Amino acid sequence: VDSMTFQLLGVVLTTFLIARLSAYKALSSKQWSSILCSTKESIESRPFENVDANQWDLKLKSPCKLNLFLRILNRRPSGFHDLASLFQTISLSDRIYMSKLPNSSTEDEIYCSDKSLSVGKSNLVVKALDLMRTKTGIQQFFRLYLDKIVPMQAGLGGGSSNAATAMHGFNVLCGYPASQENLLLWSGDIGSDISFFFSSGTAYCTGRGEIVQSLPALPLSDDVEVHVFKPAEGLSTALVFKALDLNKCSTVVPESILHCFETDGALKAAANDRLINDLEAPAFSISALQQLKSEIAMHDTAISGVMMSGSGTSVYALRSKSNPTVFPFDEIAAKFPGLRHYQCSFVGRTNDLTSWYQ
């Protein structure tokens, strides 16, 4: 085949590709959605690459939380448990991008950076948008992209935070039809932890976690450096609670633990053994998390305390920002393949209830 033939084939191929590219560019977001959702697998987890912040009506941070202590008090006849816990938001955050769809739209278009996360009806973000439509009577639908940074199955409340952030986004884009009190009250309909994310960022939570008492920032919170470790393994919350023996839970009165944190701050409370989590023992009995916790504590003498958050599987360490030593993550990671590490800090909001979304 001579060179002229090759040149002719090149022109034909280039013309074809330009035509196909023009056709794809002309597709609407709805048509793109149908392409992305052509199989059951892609419907459950839609990839989405375009995260140009300038193309969205609203860009929001969605911070996660730690349990600074978690006492399990009793088991209800319904199977749920009464708890008492001090929740604290941290700077580790997902990102949520939202835009209003045309009035003719009849469903949300939800995308996520993590292909393993379902964006079907079981997703808390989807439930949150449905809840807001039901409560406000406003039939507005949205295009939403969730950039997932907070690890899942970690006890960090990432999904609950995403739901609260989606509710806030709905409220902003629809002209604030609901008050902050409405959002807090309504959120309990779809999850116990969601209500916390309408608090100040530091809160004493009781009941199933839905009774939220906002608190001022703990003393010396600006000096707290948080190191979150997420092993490759995940744990089912149901399995952790199944392994729970209430007779082996701490006997320390929750209010006395809370008093230590409110009086002395997180670092001193942690140093005085007030990082108490009644779910550690059952979680440790069905995982390797006890070894991870021990390794973290052993490798850094600057740590004030180490504890598992929620029902796991993340384990966190607290230490002072003023400590000059470098945290020895590499030494710990060498023993736990797939271990992820996040360095962050406490965050909260005072007079401006929307500040941490920015």
Side-chain angles (χ1 to χ4, degrees), residues 64-68 70 85 87-88 90 150-160 193 197 228-230 233-235 237 277 279 289 307-316:
C64 64
K65 59 84 180 171
L66 300 177
N67 297 85
L68 293 178
L70 175 56
S85 183
F87 283 34
Q88 174 64 56
I90 57 176
V150 176
M152 296 181 288
Q153 286 193 320
L156 299 174
S160 296
D193 288 352
F197 290 98
V228 178
F229 300 84
K230 176 62 176 72
E233 66 179 317
L235 273 182
T237 300
N277 185 347
L279 294 182
L289 290 176
M307 192 178 84
M308 181 183 81
S309 186
S311 59
T313 54
S314 69
V315 176
Y316 68 87

Side-chain angles (χ1 to χ4, degrees), residues 286-341:
I286 57 175
S287 71
L289 290 176
Q290 173 70 75
Q291 182 185 356
L292 174 59
K293 179 180 177 180
S294 299
E295 287 288 337
I296 295 169
M298 180 177 67
H299 276 84
D300 190 357
T301 56
I303 289 175
S304 296
V306 184
M307 192 178 84
M308 181 183 81
S309 186
S311 59
T313 54
S314 69
V315 176
Y316 68 87
L318 303 181
R319 67 181 214 160
S320 171
K321 290 180 180 178
S322 60
N323 191 292
T325 60
V326 177
F327 196 90
F329 170 68
D330 290 343
E331 298 174 27
I332 300 168
K335 297 185 179 182
F336 298 90
L339 183 69
R340 285 174 283 170
H341 170 235

